[in-house]
Amino acid sequence: MPEVSYVQVIWTTLAVFFTLFIFSFLYKDNPLYKIAEHVVVGVSNGYWMILLFRDTFKPLWLDPAWNLVSGKGLSAELTIFVLVNLVFSVFMLLRLVGGNAALLSRWAMAVVLGVSAGVLIPLSVQTYMYEQLKGNVLTFGAFPFPFVSVVSQTAFNNLLIIVGSLSGLAYFFFSKEHKGVFGGTAKLGIWFLMIGFGATFGYTVMGRLSLLIGRIEFLRDWLNMIF
Amino acid sequence: MRKEIPLVIMVACGVFMAIQFFVPHELPALIYQNLNKTVQVVGAVALVLGIVSLLSLHFAKINRRQPGYGYSYILIAFFFMMAASGFLPAKVNLGSFLGTGDRVEGSFYLNLYNYVLTPVQATMFALLAFFIASAAFRAFRARSVIATLLLLTAIIVMIGRVPIGPFVLGDWISDLADWIMAVPNAAAKRAVIVGVGLGILSLSLKMVLGIERAWLGGGR
């Protein structure tokens, strides 16, 4: 066991108390859990405020704005950027004032939503559709593998992925009635989807259990540290 | 004009951002970069709205002596402690217990992060293991073929992912779990991802074309 300072012991003990406060919820909702819950809301809000200020607001706006104010000189592009952002940031904060001034926050909101939605149009086609379909085409072309094997990539596996993803998409297509061949394909799709959901569930449970083991190990390490 | 001007701004920004993707020129690329930065800056400023809202809610709770107002003191105290730790000058030393003002190991900021935020969040997620297991126990019933498929797949993946599974049943169980994750699960995920992509595309188009106006609110 490496040497630990008394400061580290105190902080770790504090973390242990918070861990036990959260676990106390397994019995029922209680004041100790509520304390830990309010602590985490307060701390995480403070954390995000610092993170956004230091990593986003300061380098992107405050530093160039300071250069502009202190007369160090700024390019025309950066000067426009600083001024436009100042206007929209003030507009956003006018929501706190209320009344007619608060309506200006919609302008800032419009920029955020418009830019985000506009960027997402080509991006969603590229990543969510084109790349996924490209994956199907590539696996379809990869046929020199053995036909059936559980442990290696095979033509059978590739075929299953193609059939599964296409039939799964057919299940989500509600503009056509699920009857006949299309209905059969949709039914096959729901089978694949259920296997997918089951696998995701199992994977999530094991992920949470791994976290639980981590927390129990943390408590064990603390006991070793104390005694 | 209360709704028209924001709508025009949004449509202009949205159409520009969608079209610039196909225009190989310096100027649209420059505007694209600056608009992206604007979203980051305005988004960071918007956090102030959330924090003011949170704090005013809890100050009001304290003022009115509402049930559980004592917890609001804790929330506010820890918020200001964390915020102060981030804005402390690097040279400040708060003593051996609280730590220094910078952001290195042993600083007040990292002590709060490592010994308060991280353990509480990790334990909250770990707690979900119990609730997921109890929910599954109640919800998982082999009532139909597809429900049985879901149940069996979950069991195989869970058993195949822990050392005791292969130890008791043999290596085939972990191979099968890996195959399920890599093949049928990948097929299902691919279908879901394409569906999500279509959803994002349709919502973005509705916003850029000004059809979706819920963000403007229902008021004046």
Side-chain angles (χ1 to χ4, degrees):
Chain A
M1 193 77 190
E3 279 288 311
V4 282
S5 65
Y6 81 96
V7 174
Q8 216 175 343
V9 173
I10 295 172
W11 276 107
T12 312
T13 308
L14 187 74
V16 166
F17 276 116
F18 282 128
T19 303
L20 294 174
F21 286 0
I22 296 290
F23 276 135
S24 69
F25 190 75
L26 286 172
Y27 170 58
K28 66 175 184 181
D29 198 4
N30 63 76
L32 294 178
Y33 175 77
K34 281 206 172 79
I35 288 173
E37 195 183 27
H38 282 75
V39 164
V40 80
V41 174
V43 172
S44 63
N45 268 289
Y47 172 72
W48 278 105
M49 194 175 90
I50 297 161
L51 206 70
L52 285 176
F53 177 79
R54 287 203 178 191
D55 297 345
T56 305
F57 190 72
K58 189 173 175 290
L60 289 184
W61 190 82
L62 200 61
D63 289 344
W66 181 248
N67 286 343
L68 186 70
V69 172
S70 59
K72 283 182 183 167
L74 216 56
S75 66
E77 176 208 332
L78 260 178
T79 308
I80 294 169
F81 175 77
V82 166
L83 294 176
V84 167
N85 276 277
L86 174 69
V87 170
F88 282 121
S89 298
V90 171
F91 280 4
M92 188 56 112
L93 291 177
L94 283 176
R95 189 168 272 255
L96 294 171
V97 179
N100 281 338
L103 290 172
L104 287 172
S105 69
R106 289 177 179 175
W107 294 27
M109 197 75 92
V111 174
V112 174
L113 290 176
V115 170
S116 309
V119 165
L120 276 175
I121 292 171
L123 212 65
S124 64
V125 175
Q126 171 95 32
T127 51
Y128 289 95
M129 284 174 259
Y130 174 70
E131 288 297 330
Q132 297 300 320
L133 295 176
K134 199 171 87 176
N136 269 3
V137 173
L138 280 176
T139 50
F140 190 69
F143 261 105
F145 300 110
F147 192 75
V148 179
S149 165
V150 176
V151 287
S152 66
Q153 194 181 12
T154 65
F156 174 71
N157 287 349
N158 295 339
L159 207 62
L160 260 185
I161 291 178
I162 294 164
V163 170
S165 51
L166 291 179
S167 58
L169 274 174
Y171 175 75
F172 285 123
F173 191 74
F174 297 111
S175 301
K176 187 173 161 57
E177 204 176 347
H178 289 187
K179 270 182 174 178
V181 177
F182 186 72
T185 312
K187 198 171 178 181
L188 183 67
I190 189 75
W191 284 20
F192 271 97
L193 287 172
M194 279 302 179
I195 293 173
F197 294 146
T200 307
F201 176 84
Y203 198 69
T204 308
V205 169
M206 297 323 284
R208 302 293 186 217
L209 274 178
S210 159
L211 264 177
L212 183 64
I213 291 165
R215 296 322 296 159
I216 291 167
E217 279 180 349
F218 169 70
L219 293 175
R220 185 202 60 193
D221 292 346
W222 173 73
L223 284 174
N224 286 339
M225 187 192 275
I226 296 291
F227 303 109
Chain B
M1 297 304 273
R2 291 167 192 271
K3 288 189 177 179
E4 284 76 4
I5 294 176
L7 212 57
V8 168
I9 294 174
M10 199 191 71
V11 170
C13 288
V15 169
F16 172 79
M17 291 305 268
I19 289 176
Q20 65 76 34
F21 190 77
F22 305 98
V23 183
H25 193 272
E26 279 176 19
L27 187 64
L30 188 73
I31 300 172
Y32 166 81
Q33 280 173 9
N34 282 321
L35 276 175
N36 263 337
K37 283 185 197 167
T38 300
V39 168
Q40 290 180 53
V41 171
V42 177
V45 171
L47 184 78
V48 175
L49 298 179
I51 286 169
V52 169
S53 166
L54 178 83
L55 291 180
S56 58
L57 179 90
H58 283 277
F59 277 122
K61 216 171 166 184
I62 291 169
N63 280 339
R64 291 182 198 135
R65 295 283 188 270
Q66 283 178 353
Y69 73 91
Y71 301 117
S72 298
Y73 281 118
I74 294 171
L75 186 147
I76 292 165
F78 271 88
F79 168 74
F80 281 112
M81 254 200 290
M82 189 71 189
S85 77
F87 292 113
L88 279 175
K91 287 175 185 171
V92 169
N93 192 342
L94 298 169
S96 56
F97 174 61
L98 292 180
T100 51
D102 45 15
R103 290 211 282 181
V104 294
E105 204 59 47
S107 64
F108 187 36
Y109 172 82
L110 275 188
N111 279 340
L112 281 173
Y113 181 81
N114 288 334
Y115 298 107
V116 179
L117 189 62
T118 307
V120 175
Q121 282 185 337
T123 315
M124 277 185 167
F125 281 111
L127 207 63
L128 287 180
F130 293 98
F131 294 109
I132 288 179
S134 86
F137 185 72
R138 278 174 280 169
F140 277 13
R141 295 279 187 275
R143 290 193 188 115
S144 60
V145 178
I146 51 173
T148 313
L149 263 180
L150 184 108
L151 179 69
L152 281 177
T153 315
I155 290 170
I156 292 167
V157 170
M158 283 191 281
I159 294 175
R161 294 264 155 184
V162 284
I164 198 166
F167 180 74
V168 174
L169 299 168
D171 283 344
W172 66 270
I173 190 79
S174 57
D175 289 343
L176 187 59
D178 287 344
W179 179 80
I180 287 172
M181 291 305 291
V183 181
N185 178 52
K189 283 280 156 61
R190 199 162 275 175
V192 171
I193 288 170
V194 173
V196 168
L198 286 168
I200 292 174
L201 180 67
S202 64
L203 184 66
S204 302
L205 278 172
K206 273 170 77 180
M207 293 198 75
V208 169
L209 297 175
I211 299 166
E212 172 63 54
R213 296 178 186 196
W215 62 277
L216 284 165
R220 289 177 297 167

